[in-house]
């Protein structure tokens, strides 16, 4: 019985860590995709607008 409880506790901890790792990897993937995208994101768009306004006058 004690071994079964230990196995169950380890399994639960494993699932928790696995889910956290999935979230971290997804965040990394999103960040890399945004960095490599040829389409400017909202912050880049705003910076480009400001730069164009400054050049115009």
């Amino acid at each position: 019985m004690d071994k079964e409880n230990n196995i169950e506790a380890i399994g639960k901890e494993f699932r928790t860590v696995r889910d956290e790792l999935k979230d971290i990897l997804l965040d990394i993937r999103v960040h890399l995709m945004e960095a490599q995208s040829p389409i400017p994101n909202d912050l880049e768009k705003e910076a480009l607008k400001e730069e164009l306004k400054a050049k115009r006058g």
Side-chain angles (χ1 to χ4, degrees), residues 2-20:
D2 199 26
K3 286 182 182 181
E4 290 178 18
N5 289 338
N6 285 341
I7 292 172
E8 188 174 324
I10 290 171
K12 184 177 179 181
E13 184 176 347
F14 172 77
R15 287 187 293 277
T16 301
V17 171
R18 181 190 62 197
D19 292 343
E20 289 174 1

Side-chain angles (χ1 to χ4, degrees), residues 23-37:
D23 291 341
I24 291 168
L25 290 173
L26 182 59
D27 290 344
I28 291 170
R29 180 180 177 194
V30 168
H31 180 74
L32 288 174
M33 289 177 71
E34 286 177 353
Q36 294 175 348
S37 174

